[in-house]
mmCIF file of all heavy atoms in Angstrom:
data_model
loop_
_atom_site.group_PDB
_atom_site.id
_atom_site.type_symbol
_atom_site.label_atom_id
_atom_site.label_comp_id
_atom_site.label_asym_id
_atom_site.label_seq_id
_atom_site.Cartn_x
_atom_site.Cartn_y
_atom_site.Cartn_z
ATOM 1 N N ILE A 43 -11.808 55.862 21.270
ATOM 2 C CA ILE A 43 -12.997 56.323 20.666
ATOM 3 C C ILE A 43 -14.096 55.386 21.020
ATOM 4 O O ILE A 43 -14.170 54.214 20.609
ATOM 5 C CB ILE A 43 -12.760 56.366 19.022
ATOM 6 C CG1 ILE A 43 -11.591 57.217 18.643
ATOM 7 C CG2 ILE A 43 -14.077 56.886 18.469
ATOM 8 C CD1 ILE A 43 -11.194 57.041 17.238
ATOM 9 N N LEU A 60 -6.759 53.025 19.729
ATOM 10 C CA LEU A 60 -5.790 53.195 18.830
ATOM 11 C C LEU A 60 -4.432 53.475 19.455
ATOM 12 O O LEU A 60 -4.259 54.288 20.232
ATOM 13 C CB LEU A 60 -6.085 54.352 17.863
ATOM 14 C CG LEU A 60 -7.513 54.425 17.222
ATOM 15 C CD1 LEU A 60 -7.620 55.722 16.542
ATOM 16 C CD2 LEU A 60 -7.803 53.174 16.428
ATOM 17 N N ALA A 66 -2.594 55.705 12.340
ATOM 18 C CA ALA A 66 -2.678 57.042 11.957
ATOM 19 C C ALA A 66 -3.858 57.634 12.724
ATOM 20 O O ALA A 66 -4.865 58.096 12.200
ATOM 21 C CB ALA A 66 -2.976 57.157 10.480
ATOM 22 N N TRP A 67 -3.821 57.551 14.080
ATOM 23 C CA TRP A 67 -4.873 57.878 15.007
ATOM 24 C C TRP A 67 -5.326 59.407 14.891
ATOM 25 O O TRP A 67 -6.499 59.647 15.061
ATOM 26 C CB TRP A 67 -4.450 57.633 16.337
ATOM 27 C CG TRP A 67 -3.406 58.478 16.882
ATOM 28 C CD1 TRP A 67 -2.082 58.338 16.778
ATOM 29 C CD2 TRP A 67 -3.518 59.722 17.620
ATOM 30 N NE1 TRP A 67 -1.346 59.326 17.358
ATOM 31 C CE2 TRP A 67 -2.247 60.224 17.945
ATOM 32 C CE3 TRP A 67 -4.629 60.443 18.057
ATOM 33 C CZ2 TRP A 67 -2.123 61.432 18.641
ATOM 34 C CZ3 TRP A 67 -4.465 61.571 18.875
ATOM 35 C CH2 TRP A 67 -3.089 62.053 19.064
ATOM 36 N N LYS A 68 -4.452 60.318 14.472
ATOM 37 C CA LYS A 68 -4.825 61.729 14.355
ATOM 38 C C LYS A 68 -5.876 61.986 13.338
ATOM 39 O O LYS A 68 -6.685 62.838 13.368
ATOM 40 C CB LYS A 68 -3.634 62.653 14.132
ATOM 41 C CG LYS A 68 -2.699 62.786 15.305
ATOM 42 C CD LYS A 68 -1.575 63.670 15.048
ATOM 43 C CE LYS A 68 -0.694 63.958 16.183
ATOM 44 N NZ LYS A 68 0.477 64.779 15.830
ATOM 45 N N ASP A 69 -5.769 61.204 12.190
ATOM 46 C CA ASP A 69 -6.597 61.468 11.115
ATOM 47 C C ASP A 69 -7.860 60.478 11.085
ATOM 48 O O ASP A 69 -8.650 60.543 10.164
ATOM 49 C CB ASP A 69 -5.841 61.257 9.768
ATOM 50 C CG ASP A 69 -4.712 62.435 9.652
ATOM 51 O OD1 ASP A 69 -5.124 63.550 10.070
ATOM 52 O OD2 ASP A 69 -3.659 61.989 9.197
ATOM 53 N N ALA A 70 -8.003 59.659 12.146
ATOM 54 C CA ALA A 70 -9.042 58.644 12.148
ATOM 55 C C ALA A 70 -10.393 59.416 12.366
ATOM 56 O O ALA A 70 -10.468 60.389 13.075
ATOM 57 C CB ALA A 70 -8.795 57.742 13.313
ATOM 58 N N GLU A 71 -11.363 58.873 11.710
ATOM 59 C CA GLU A 71 -12.713 59.392 11.855
ATOM 60 C C GLU A 71 -13.708 58.327 12.290
ATOM 61 O O GLU A 71 -13.590 57.178 11.817
ATOM 62 C CB GLU A 71 -13.157 60.070 10.498
ATOM 63 C CG GLU A 71 -12.373 61.213 10.096
ATOM 64 C CD GLU A 71 -12.881 61.809 8.769
ATOM 65 O OE1 GLU A 71 -13.890 61.348 8.243
ATOM 66 O OE2 GLU A 71 -12.101 62.610 8.220
ATOM 67 N N ALA A 72 -14.670 58.675 13.142
ATOM 68 C CA ALA A 72 -15.490 57.633 13.622
ATOM 69 C C ALA A 72 -16.972 58.235 13.465
ATOM 70 O O ALA A 72 -17.279 59.388 13.584
ATOM 71 C CB ALA A 72 -15.392 57.362 15.117
ATOM 72 N N ILE A 73 -17.859 57.292 13.066
ATOM 73 C CA ILE A 73 -19.286 57.549 12.950
ATOM 74 C C ILE A 73 -20.007 56.653 13.864
ATOM 75 O O ILE A 73 -19.890 55.359 13.743
ATOM 76 C CB ILE A 73 -19.738 57.284 11.476
ATOM 77 C CG1 ILE A 73 -19.042 58.172 10.482
ATOM 78 C CG2 ILE A 73 -21.268 57.493 11.331
ATOM 79 C CD1 ILE A 73 -19.241 57.847 9.014
ATOM 80 N N LEU A 82 -18.369 52.995 13.545
ATOM 81 C CA LEU A 82 -17.577 52.827 12.263
ATOM 82 C C LEU A 82 -16.322 53.743 12.287
ATOM 83 O O LEU A 82 -16.479 54.878 12.475
ATOM 84 C CB LEU A 82 -18.480 53.164 11.021
ATOM 85 C CG LEU A 82 -17.738 53.016 9.699
ATOM 86 C CD1 LEU A 82 -17.476 51.512 9.380
ATOM 87 C CD2 LEU A 82 -18.677 53.590 8.594
ATOM 88 N N LEU A 83 -15.103 53.089 12.182
ATOM 89 C CA LEU A 83 -13.893 53.724 12.188
ATOM 90 C C LEU A 83 -13.343 53.742 10.761
ATOM 91 O O LEU A 83 -13.305 52.788 10.068
ATOM 92 C CB LEU A 83 -12.850 53.047 13.065
ATOM 93 C CG LEU A 83 -11.484 53.682 13.093
ATOM 94 C CD1 LEU A 83 -11.560 54.897 13.947
ATOM 95 C CD2 LEU A 83 -10.503 52.725 13.776
ATOM 96 N N THR A 84 -12.912 54.890 10.317
ATOM 97 C CA THR A 84 -12.198 55.052 9.066
ATOM 98 C C THR A 84 -10.800 55.555 9.417
ATOM 99 O O THR A 84 -10.562 56.585 10.019
ATOM 100 C CB THR A 84 -12.869 56.074 8.017
ATOM 101 O OG1 THR A 84 -14.194 55.498 7.740
ATOM 102 C CG2 THR A 84 -12.101 56.113 6.781
ATOM 103 N N ILE A 85 -9.842 54.847 8.993
ATOM 104 C CA ILE A 85 -8.404 55.222 9.343
ATOM 105 C C ILE A 85 -7.447 54.833 8.185
ATOM 106 O O ILE A 85 -7.680 53.780 7.452
ATOM 107 C CB ILE A 85 -7.990 54.309 10.557
ATOM 108 C CG1 ILE A 85 -6.677 54.950 11.111
ATOM 109 C CG2 ILE A 85 -7.969 52.910 10.444
ATOM 110 C CD1 ILE A 85 -6.394 54.435 12.556
#
Side-chain angles (χ1 to χ4, degrees):
I43 302 170
L60 309 178
W67 68 277
K68 284 183 182 178
D69 297 321
E71 295 179 10
I73 298 172
L82 180 67
L83 178 73
T84 300
I85 190 164

